[in-house]
PDB file of all heavy atoms in Angstrom:
ATOM      1  N   LEU R 533     -88.519  44.462 102.460  1.00 97.00           N
ATOM      2  CA  LEU R 533     -89.973  44.670 102.603  1.00 97.00           C
ATOM      3  C   LEU R 533     -90.357  45.333 103.916  1.00 97.00           C
ATOM      4  O   LEU R 533     -91.305  46.099 103.977  1.00 97.00           O
ATOM      5  CB  LEU R 533     -90.709  43.323 102.492  1.00 97.00           C
ATOM      6  CG  LEU R 533     -90.633  42.594 101.157  1.00 97.00           C
ATOM      7  CD1 LEU R 533     -91.358  41.255 101.263  1.00 97.00           C
ATOM      8  CD2 LEU R 533     -91.210  43.426 100.024  1.00 97.00           C
ATOM      9  N   TRP R 534     -89.652  44.987 104.976  1.00 97.00           N
ATOM     10  CA  TRP R 534     -89.998  45.581 106.260  1.00 97.00           C
ATOM     11  C   TRP R 534     -88.788  45.614 107.189  1.00 97.00           C
ATOM     12  O   TRP R 534     -88.027  44.651 107.265  1.00 97.00           O
ATOM     13  CB  TRP R 534     -91.133  44.801 106.953  1.00 97.00           C
ATOM     14  CG  TRP R 534     -91.725  45.627 108.063  1.00 97.00           C
ATOM     15  CD1 TRP R 534     -91.370  45.602 109.375  1.00 97.00           C
ATOM     16  CD2 TRP R 534     -92.722  46.619 107.918  1.00 97.00           C
ATOM     17  NE1 TRP R 534     -92.095  46.533 110.064  1.00 97.00           N
ATOM     18  CE2 TRP R 534     -92.944  47.176 109.199  1.00 97.00           C
ATOM     19  CE3 TRP R 534     -93.471  47.125 106.837  1.00 97.00           C
ATOM     20  CZ2 TRP R 534     -93.863  48.186 109.423  1.00 97.00           C
ATOM     21  CZ3 TRP R 534     -94.387  48.127 107.067  1.00 97.00           C
ATOM     22  CH2 TRP R 534     -94.588  48.656 108.354  1.00 97.00           C
ATOM     23  N   VAL R 535     -88.648  46.744 107.853  1.00 97.00           N
ATOM     24  CA  VAL R 535     -87.585  46.902 108.835  1.00 97.00           C
ATOM     25  C   VAL R 535     -88.232  47.368 110.133  1.00 97.00           C
ATOM     26  O   VAL R 535     -89.076  48.275 110.102  1.00 97.00           O
ATOM     27  CB  VAL R 535     -86.567  47.957 108.352  1.00 97.00           C
ATOM     28  CG1 VAL R 535     -85.508  48.193 109.403  1.00 97.00           C
ATOM     29  CG2 VAL R 535     -85.927  47.523 107.057  1.00 97.00           C
ATOM     30  N   ASP R 536     -87.877  46.747 111.221  1.00 96.00           N
ATOM     31  CA  ASP R 536     -88.341  47.128 112.557  1.00 96.00           C
ATOM     32  C   ASP R 536     -88.525  48.644 112.659  1.00 96.00           C
ATOM     33  O   ASP R 536     -87.586  49.404 112.457  1.00 96.00           O
ATOM     34  CB  ASP R 536     -87.282  46.638 113.570  1.00 96.00           C
ATOM     35  CG  ASP R 536     -87.631  46.977 115.008  1.00 96.00           C
ATOM     36  OD1 ASP R 536     -88.608  47.704 115.226  1.00 96.00           O
ATOM     37  OD2 ASP R 536     -86.897  46.510 115.894  1.00 96.00           O
ATOM     38  N   SER R 537     -89.767  49.047 112.963  1.00 93.00           N
ATOM     39  CA  SER R 537     -90.052  50.471 113.061  1.00 93.00           C
ATOM     40  C   SER R 537     -89.991  50.928 114.512  1.00 93.00           C
ATOM     41  O   SER R 537     -90.416  50.197 115.412  1.00 93.00           O
ATOM     42  CB  SER R 537     -91.448  50.735 112.482  1.00 93.00           C
ATOM     43  OG  SER R 537     -91.989  51.896 113.059  1.00 93.00           O
ATOM     44  N   GLY R 538     -89.479  52.128 114.711  1.00 90.00           N
ATOM     45  CA  GLY R 538     -89.396  52.665 116.071  1.00 90.00           C
ATOM     46  C   GLY R 538     -90.755  53.064 116.618  1.00 90.00           C
ATOM     47  O   GLY R 538     -90.901  53.322 117.805  1.00 90.00           O
ATOM     48  N   ASP R 539     -91.780  53.113 115.749  1.00 88.00           N
ATOM     49  CA  ASP R 539     -93.088  53.624 116.156  1.00 88.00           C
ATOM     50  C   ASP R 539     -93.917  52.650 116.971  1.00 88.00           C
ATOM     51  O   ASP R 539     -94.912  53.037 117.558  1.00 88.00           O
ATOM     52  CB  ASP R 539     -93.913  54.013 114.917  1.00 88.00           C
ATOM     53  CG  ASP R 539     -93.244  55.142 114.157  1.00 88.00           C
ATOM     54  OD1 ASP R 539     -92.361  55.788 114.756  1.00 88.00           O
ATOM     55  OD2 ASP R 539     -93.585  55.368 112.985  1.00 88.00           O
ATOM     56  N   THR R 540     -93.555  51.380 116.918  1.00 91.00           N
ATOM     57  CA  THR R 540     -94.391  50.382 117.598  1.00 91.00           C
ATOM     58  C   THR R 540     -93.548  49.210 118.093  1.00 91.00           C
ATOM     59  O   THR R 540     -92.589  48.827 117.421  1.00 91.00           O
ATOM     60  CB  THR R 540     -95.480  49.853 116.641  1.00 91.00           C
ATOM     61  OG1 THR R 540     -96.131  48.746 117.264  1.00 91.00           O
ATOM     62  CG2 THR R 540     -94.895  49.392 115.325  1.00 91.00           C
ATOM     63  N   PRO R 541     -93.915  48.655 119.242  1.00 94.00           N
ATOM     64  CA  PRO R 541     -93.216  47.461 119.706  1.00 94.00           C
ATOM     65  C   PRO R 541     -93.703  46.204 118.977  1.00 94.00           C
ATOM     66  O   PRO R 541     -93.123  45.143 119.096  1.00 94.00           O
ATOM     67  CB  PRO R 541     -93.572  47.395 121.193  1.00 94.00           C
ATOM     68  CG  PRO R 541     -94.849  48.144 121.321  1.00 94.00           C
ATOM     69  CD  PRO R 541     -94.883  49.162 120.221  1.00 94.00           C
ATOM     70  N   LYS R 542     -94.803  46.354 118.215  1.00 95.00           N
ATOM     71  CA  LYS R 542     -95.421  45.198 117.563  1.00 95.00           C
ATOM     72  C   LYS R 542     -94.466  44.491 116.595  1.00 95.00           C
ATOM     73  O   LYS R 542     -94.511  43.276 116.447  1.00 95.00           O
ATOM     74  CB  LYS R 542     -96.652  45.719 116.804  1.00 95.00           C
ATOM     75  CG  LYS R 542     -97.554  44.628 116.285  1.00 95.00           C
ATOM     76  CD  LYS R 542     -98.713  45.240 115.486  1.00 95.00           C
ATOM     77  CE  LYS R 542     -98.938  44.388 114.259  1.00 95.00           C
ATOM     78  NZ  LYS R 542     -99.873  44.907 113.318  1.00 95.00           N
ATOM     79  N   ASP R 543     -93.608  45.264 115.941  1.00 97.00           N
ATOM     80  CA  ASP R 543     -92.747  44.669 114.902  1.00 97.00           C
ATOM     81  C   ASP R 543     -91.282  44.583 115.350  1.00 97.00           C
ATOM     82  O   ASP R 543     -90.381  44.500 114.530  1.00 97.00           O
ATOM     83  CB  ASP R 543     -92.847  45.481 113.610  1.00 97.00           C
ATOM     84  CG  ASP R 543     -92.221  46.862 113.740  1.00 97.00           C
ATOM     85  OD1 ASP R 543     -91.957  47.296 114.893  1.00 97.00           O
ATOM     86  OD2 ASP R 543     -91.985  47.519 112.711  1.00 97.00           O
ATOM     87  N   ASP R 544     -91.051  44.591 116.651  1.00 97.00           N
ATOM     88  CA  ASP R 544     -89.670  44.627 117.138  1.00 97.00           C
ATOM     89  C   ASP R 544     -88.827  43.465 116.613  1.00 97.00           C
ATOM     90  O   ASP R 544     -89.261  42.311 116.635  1.00 97.00           O
ATOM     91  CB  ASP R 544     -89.646  44.604 118.675  1.00 97.00           C
ATOM     92  CG  ASP R 544     -89.925  45.988 119.254  1.00 97.00           C
ATOM     93  OD1 ASP R 544     -90.189  46.907 118.448  1.00 97.00           O
ATOM     94  OD2 ASP R 544     -89.887  46.138 120.486  1.00 97.00           O
ATOM     95  N   GLY R 545     -87.659  43.784 116.133  1.00 98.00           N
ATOM     96  CA  GLY R 545     -86.697  42.761 115.700  1.00 98.00           C
ATOM     97  C   GLY R 545     -86.954  42.210 114.303  1.00 98.00           C
ATOM     98  O   GLY R 545     -86.227  41.340 113.833  1.00 98.00           O
ATOM     99  N   ILE R 546     -87.973  42.736 113.609  1.00 98.00           N
ATOM    100  CA  ILE R 546     -88.337  42.163 112.298  1.00 98.00           C
ATOM    101  C   ILE R 546     -87.484  42.738 111.168  1.00 98.00           C
ATOM    102  O   ILE R 546     -87.260  43.947 111.079  1.00 98.00           O
ATOM    103  CB  ILE R 546     -89.823  42.453 111.971  1.00 98.00           C
ATOM    104  CG1 ILE R 546     -90.751  41.689 112.914  1.00 98.00           C
ATOM    105  CG2 ILE R 546     -90.132  42.123 110.512  1.00 98.00           C
ATOM    106  CD1 ILE R 546     -90.980  40.243 112.564  1.00 98.00           C
ATOM    107  N   PHE R 547     -87.011  41.853 110.330  1.00 98.00           N
ATOM    108  CA  PHE R 547     -86.434  42.254 109.053  1.00 98.00           C
ATOM    109  C   PHE R 547     -86.967  41.302 107.989  1.00 98.00           C
ATOM    110  O   PHE R 547     -86.869  40.084 108.138  1.00 98.00           O
ATOM    111  CB  PHE R 547     -84.902  42.209 109.079  1.00 98.00           C
ATOM    112  CG  PHE R 547     -84.283  42.635 107.777  1.00 98.00           C
ATOM    113  CD1 PHE R 547     -84.436  43.931 107.326  1.00 98.00           C
ATOM    114  CD2 PHE R 547     -83.590  41.735 106.983  1.00 98.00           C
ATOM    115  CE1 PHE R 547     -83.892  44.330 106.110  1.00 98.00           C
ATOM    116  CE2 PHE R 547     -83.039  42.131 105.767  1.00 98.00           C
ATOM    117  CZ  PHE R 547     -83.191  43.438 105.339  1.00 98.00           C
ATOM    118  N   ALA R 548     -87.558  41.859 106.930  1.00 98.00           N
ATOM    119  CA  ALA R 548     -88.150  41.017 105.887  1.00 98.00           C
ATOM    120  C   ALA R 548     -87.707  41.494 104.512  1.00 98.00           C
ATOM    121  O   ALA R 548     -87.539  42.693 104.288  1.00 98.00           O
ATOM    122  CB  ALA R 548     -89.679  41.072 105.977  1.00 98.00           C
ATOM    123  N   PHE R 549     -87.486  40.552 103.636  1.00 98.00           N
ATOM    124  CA  PHE R 549     -87.159  40.915 102.260  1.00 98.00           C
ATOM    125  C   PHE R 549     -87.713  39.863 101.312  1.00 98.00           C
ATOM    126  O   PHE R 549     -88.156  38.788 101.744  1.00 98.00           O
ATOM    127  CB  PHE R 549     -85.641  41.071 102.071  1.00 98.00           C
ATOM    128  CG  PHE R 549     -84.823  39.832 102.353  1.00 98.00           C
ATOM    129  CD1 PHE R 549     -84.541  38.919 101.349  1.00 98.00           C
ATOM    130  CD2 PHE R 549     -84.321  39.596 103.630  1.00 98.00           C
ATOM    131  CE1 PHE R 549     -83.771  37.787 101.618  1.00 98.00           C
ATOM    132  CE2 PHE R 549     -83.554  38.464 103.906  1.00 98.00           C
ATOM    133  CZ  PHE R 549     -83.275  37.558 102.884  1.00 98.00           C
TER     134      PHE R 549
END
Side-chain angles (χ1 to χ4, degrees):
L533 295 177
W534 196 267
V535 176
D536 180 353
S537 154
D539 297 344
T540 171
K542 191 183 139 187
D543 69 346
D544 280 3
I546 292 279
F547 181 65
F549 61 90

